[in-house]
Amino acid sequence: MTNGTDRGNYFFSLGYYKNDGLIKHSSFDRISARMNSEYKLIGDIVTVGENFTLNRTGEVQAPGGIINDAMISLPMIPVHTVDGKGWGGPSSTMPDRQNVVRVNEYNKDNKYSYWRLFGDAHININPLKGLNLRSTFGIDYAQKLAMSYTRPYTNGFLNDDLSAVYMGQEHWTKWMWNAIATYNVTLGRHKLDIMAGTELNREDDINLSAYREDFAIISTDYMYPGAGTGQSIAGGGAGTYSLASFFGKVNYSYSDRYLASFTIRRDGSSRFGRNNRWGTFPAFSLGWRLSEESFMKALSSVVSDLKLRAAWGQTGNQSIDNTARYSIYDANYGTGDAPTYGTSYDITGSNGGSLLPSGFRRTQLRNDDLKWETTTQTNVGVDFQLFGGDLYGSFEYYDKRTKDILIKPSYIAVIGEGGGQWRNVGRMSNKGFEFNLGYRHTTAYGLSYDINGNLSLNRNKVLFVPDDVASTGDFGGNGAMNIIGNSINRYAGYVADGLFRTQEEVDNYMALYDVRIGQPGLGRIRYRDVNGDGVIDTDDRTWIGDPNPDFTYGLNVTLRFRGFDFTMFWQGVQGADVDVSAIKKNSDFWSLGDMNANRTTRLLGAWSPQNPDSDIPAVSMSDLNNEARFSTYFIENGSYLKLRMLQLGYTFPERITKAAAMQNLRVYLSAQNLLTIKSGKFTGMDPENPTTGYPIPLNITFGINVGF
């Protein structure tokens, strides 16, 4: 709802969203209210306003790993017992797999509710022509209440009489204040815009938790920590951080033909040590609108607008823990029950029949030298419009280099418990281009259309990381290869060179190579001697895949005819390698993981003398060939093209909306993730989410937009 007067205006809206998850009982819902208003306190000189939104969100998340658990559950076990009152479960000769239907049913009350209020209030003052003073205070407050229940159960030979509840509450308060002055002046063909300001940000977080066992009544109306009679555990913590910024900007243009801009900001964060708390980040840009030059006038019928631009700038990153610069010690007092003995070590293995002395343990090393991660980027580009603006587009090349990368790398065990430390390590570059091309037109019959395509290419390279980090796999290389000179997160491993299909192939292989890792055999994977030394061992690991795509692309189509509108958006990724080991270890092997678990139907097509052309290894009860090793067998083509969005809408004519006392009325039907085109050899569910997690769902939405 909107309304306005000569002195001000306001806007108010309500919204509700409900989404049932792919897993039964999982759901997400949100109700929201939004209010904006602005009021002229003293004519056009002083204006005050606000913009606030209140959300209430509720969610029931699916149990962790429920999809994978369902895939490996034995299908012979019924959901319920014969009388229909109990839960079906395994016998003592079967693996101890839980009844996934029971797990999911008992999870339906494990939910959280989340209230969030965010927005800002501002005052705007125009004391002189061209001078504007504005101050804004914003707040983002949220609180979350989560409840999780443990219920007694019996399914087959598995049972547990534990009843318990976990209750957690969290509060976040973020506030921001800024004051910004701008001055605009025009002298003939010269135009100058000056801005200067300061901003303060602060965030305070606090959390509490309570856990209690043993309840006389198993009901969510009764199971609160105060009603339990068993073990009780309380927890809680808090955190905070502050950010202060000073910034300024100058924009200059001459005859709207030559453009220049300079920006500088200085930021200080409490997350860094006293010596490196502040960072300074400058930037500038230049532009030249060639289409305004006299020598381009002869081409004005073709070239409507043509601008060359270049920019250079630095930005800082402080995305680390609030406590990253400190040494941290956690209290760890045991309860007397394994595995919560605390920090003590029971050398006898008997726990002495009583609670052992406990204390604190270190979980992180301090680093007084932490500083801002800095990214320096150079851009050059061109923007153009041709034939009256019908054909338009842009091309941009960028070179982005990041130094002092912030990371908490893995560390070797000899450093000792709690040896992790946030550090500034290494340098990395990203180079590439972005190309956008579109065509828009309106026909004589009133049909308007806009077709726009884009293509992006990025090449990443890790320029330097210390030796102790290069070998951990934190930047890529799986701990096997030095990542320097390669793209981030690149995969390293063995090269799988097909299967042994005859005994002769096995014998020849054994005669040529000293196989120190694995035992070749019929139907087993053959691994390549990459370095040619006649030995198949860890030295034969090499680069086998890159998750960074060759390029990404998209296509947008918009059509309008009278009151109808149609929108379509395609998005694609080409040349990305994905790791599907989490799927293939269950679908292609009997010997990897729990051999009593269920497998997918792919295993029915495994290699055998009767099926010698299969590319799936033979079924085996043991992994003598060490086929769990990471190899190209687990790397697949993750390229895809997705129809992300399709929407059809209709806006009612003004004569109808006015008759109904409305400003506008639009109805629409929208669908997201309608279609995925992928490689025919991809064995997972979705190349965008190649693990055993959720496939990205299809969403269909019907909506009505009303303005009063």
Side-chain angles (χ1 to χ4, degrees):
M1 180 174 65
T2 59
N3 202 351
T5 66
D6 292 339
R7 297 289 300 274
N9 58 77
Y10 66 86
F11 170 84
F12 179 76
S13 68
L14 286 172
Y16 178 72
Y17 176 80
K18 170 73 173 178
N19 183 14
D20 291 326
L22 296 178
I23 305 299
K24 187 177 182 180
H25 302 311
S26 64
S27 64
F28 178 91
D29 65 271
R30 179 179 62 237
I31 185 169
S32 59
R34 181 182 176 188
M35 181 177 68
N36 301 342
S37 67
E38 194 166 69
Y39 182 75
K40 295 181 179 180
L41 197 62
I42 304 177
D44 293 328
I45 299 176
V46 180
T47 304
V48 294
E50 55 74 33
N51 175 9
F52 283 99
T53 299
L54 177 65
N55 288 338
R56 194 276 185 188
T57 299
E59 183 174 12
V60 177
Q61 297 177 325
I66 192 69
I67 293 180
N68 185 65
D69 290 345
M71 289 174 60
I72 64 177
S73 294
L74 298 179
M76 68 179 70
I77 299 177
V79 174
H80 294 287
T81 54
V82 175
D83 60 10
K85 299 179 180 179
W87 295 104
S91 68
S92 58
T93 60
M94 296 179 179
D96 56 347
R97 297 293 178 187
Q98 293 288 352
N99 185 319
V100 292
V101 179
R102 179 198 67 78
V103 171
N104 197 51
E105 179 69 21
Y106 282 9
N107 181 73
K108 66 181 181 182
D109 295 315
N110 297 342
K111 62 182 69 175
Y112 74 79
S113 59
Y114 183 89
W115 286 92
R116 184 184 181 196
L117 172 67
F118 62 97
D120 63 73
H122 64 266
I123 181 170
N124 203 80
I125 304 174
N126 295 110
L128 301 171
K129 182 181 179 181
L131 177 62
N132 186 78
L133 307 175
R134 184 182 181 93
S135 182
T136 303
F137 180 82
I139 190 168
D140 186 349
Y141 172 77
Q143 68 168 16
K144 177 182 178 181
L145 176 64
M147 301 289 291
S148 180
Y149 303 92
T150 300
R151 302 168 183 262
Y153 70 87
T154 298
N155 50 263
F157 78 95
L158 302 175
N159 63 84
D160 194 336
D161 60 0
L162 176 66
S163 59
V165 65
Y166 167 85
M167 185 176 183
Q169 190 163 22
E170 301 172 74
H171 298 264
W172 301 272
T173 303
K174 304 176 185 178
W175 62 260
M176 175 277 298
W177 171 82
N178 65 35
I180 300 174
T182 59
Y183 182 67
N184 307 322
V185 61
T186 300
L187 299 173
R189 296 184 178 184
H190 301 274
K191 185 181 294 184
L192 185 68
D193 301 335
I194 303 173
M195 180 270 288
T198 184
E199 182 172 291
L200 301 177
N201 287 271
R202 184 174 176 87
E203 178 180 340
D204 295 285
D205 307 330
I206 189 168
N207 63 83
L208 329 160
S209 64
Y211 172 85
R212 195 69 180 269
E213 296 179 350
D214 298 340
F215 291 85
I217 301 174
I218 308 302
S219 168
T220 56
D221 294 329
Y222 179 79
M223 293 176 70
Y224 285 88
T229 59
Q231 177 179 244
S232 178
I233 302 175
T240 184
Y241 98 94
S242 301
L243 176 69
S245 303
F246 303 91
F247 46 85
K249 184 176 184 179
V250 177
N251 293 328
Y252 169 79
S253 69
Y254 175 76
S255 193
D256 201 27
R257 183 184 310 169
Y258 308 113
L259 313 170
S261 176
F262 175 75
T263 303
I264 189 168
R265 62 180 299 134
R266 185 163 173 80
D267 298 304
S269 172
S270 64
R271 291 173 173 170
F272 301 114
R274 185 181 304 273
N275 296 334
N276 295 308
R277 186 163 294 169
W278 291 89
T280 302
F281 308 103
F284 69 86
S285 63
L286 299 172
W288 179 21
R289 183 164 279 115
L290 278 78
S291 53
E292 296 298 316
E293 298 288 355
S294 58
F295 60 79
M296 293 291 295
K297 297 302 180 182
L299 300 174
S300 60
S301 60
V302 176
V303 181
S304 306
D305 187 39
L306 179 62
K307 183 173 73 172
L308 301 179
R309 50 185 167 81
W312 177 94
Q314 291 184 326
T315 56
N317 175 33
Q318 48 125 23
S319 298
I320 55 176
D321 293 346
N322 293 338
T323 56
R325 63 188 176 99
Y326 297 104
S327 285
I328 300 177
Y329 294 83
D330 286 349
N332 188 27
Y333 286 82
T335 63
D337 300 315
T340 56
Y341 291 143
T343 56
S344 298
Y345 181 76
D346 182 15
I347 195 169
T348 68
S350 64
N351 198 31
S354 62
L355 186 63
L356 295 171
S358 299
F360 289 79
R361 65 177 178 182
R362 188 181 67 192
T363 59
Q364 179 178 289
L365 286 172
R366 69 182 298 159
N367 186 351
D368 294 328
D369 296 322
L370 269 183
K371 57 185 175 182
W372 287 84
E373 176 182 309
T374 303
T375 297
T376 303
Q377 181 164 335
T378 302
N379 299 61
V380 292
V382 56
D383 302 318
F384 61 88
Q385 294 187 32
L386 308 177
F387 308 111
D390 285 357
L391 183 65
Y392 63 95
S394 64
F395 176 85
E396 183 169 15
Y397 172 81
Y398 62 87
D399 184 344
K400 182 165 61 175
R401 295 176 182 266
T402 303
K403 67 177 182 178
D404 300 324
I405 297 172
L406 289 163
I407 188 176
K408 189 177 182 180
S410 306
Y411 60 94
I412 57 177
V414 294
I415 294 178
E417 186 177 38
Q421 181 187 55
W422 282 95
R423 297 164 57 187
N424 294 99
V425 295
R427 301 188 303 273
M428 180 171 60
S429 73
N430 285 277
K431 298 181 181 181
F433 68 82
E434 298 175 352
F435 178 66
N436 179 70
L437 182 65
Y439 185 77
R440 56 195 171 202
H441 189 65
T442 300
T443 69
Y445 300 99
L447 172 66
S448 64
Y449 55 89
D450 189 340
I451 302 173
N452 176 277
N454 60 80
L455 177 71
S456 299
L457 181 149
N458 181 75
R459 293 294 177 263
N460 173 274
K461 181 183 290 188
V462 177
L463 302 176
F464 169 76
V465 288
D467 291 339
D468 61 327
V469 177
S471 60
T472 61
D474 292 310
F475 280 80
N478 303 92
M481 306 288 291
N482 191 312
I483 193 65
I484 297 175
N486 291 277
S487 57
I488 192 167
N489 297 323
R490 193 173 180 186
Y491 304 123
Y494 296 88
V495 176
D497 198 13
L499 303 182
F500 292 104
R501 304 186 185 278
T502 67
Q503 187 60 45
E504 182 181 4
E505 290 181 5
V506 176
D507 295 339
N508 291 337
Y509 191 81
M510 296 288 285
L512 292 172
Y513 299 108
D514 176 5
V515 183
R516 299 180 183 178
I517 300 178
Q519 180 178 318
L522 274 174
R524 305 266 53 89
I525 297 176
R526 178 175 53 228
Y527 295 99
R528 186 178 300 168
D529 179 18
V530 173
N531 62 5
D533 64 354
V535 179
I536 307 296
D537 59 11
T538 55
D539 291 336
D540 291 304
R541 291 177 294 182
T542 187
W543 297 111
I544 60 174
D546 191 344
N548 303 287
D550 294 336
F551 59 88
T552 61
Y553 57 100
L555 177 68
N556 289 279
V557 177
T558 301
L559 306 175
R560 297 183 184 277
F561 182 70
R562 297 180 181 175
F564 291 95
D565 60 88
F566 172 81
T567 304
M568 177 172 61
F569 171 49
W570 293 83
Q571 183 260 332
V573 169
Q574 182 62 39
D577 297 319
V578 295
D579 173 10
V580 294
S581 57
I583 296 173
K584 275 194 167 181
K585 286 181 179 180
N586 280 324
S587 66
D588 291 21
F589 298 89
W590 191 267
S591 58
L592 304 185
D594 187 346
M595 290 187 292
N596 292 315
N598 191 27
R599 295 291 189 267
T600 72
T601 56
R602 271 181 59 87
L603 199 60
L604 298 175
W607 184 96
S608 69
Q610 295 75 34
N611 189 27
D613 296 326
S614 174
D615 292 324
I616 301 173
V619 177
S620 175
M621 295 292 290
S622 58
D623 186 23
L624 299 178
N625 197 33
N626 189 23
E627 288 167 345
R629 73 181 90 176
F630 191 59
S631 70
T632 54
Y633 190 82
F634 299 116
I635 299 295
E636 293 187 355
N637 182 2
S639 303
Y640 64 82
L641 174 62
K642 292 195 173 191
L643 180 54
R644 289 290 190 189
M645 193 266 288
L646 199 65
Q647 184 177 107
L648 178 64
Y650 179 73
T651 302
F652 285 83
E654 186 176 347
R655 65 178 186 278
I656 296 177
T657 55
K658 282 189 174 180
M662 295 183 292
Q663 289 187 353
N664 63 279
L665 173 62
R666 179 177 179 267
V667 296
Y668 65 90
L669 181 65
S670 177
Q672 288 82 37
N673 300 309
L674 274 169
L675 175 66
T676 298
I677 301 172
K678 58 185 178 181
S679 169
K681 296 182 179 180
F682 181 74
T683 59
M685 290 183 290
D686 190 329
E688 190 176 7
N689 185 22
T691 66
T692 55
Y694 273 22
I696 296 178
L698 164 67
N699 292 324
I700 299 177
T701 305
F702 173 74
I704 302 175
N705 295 331
V706 183
F708 293 96

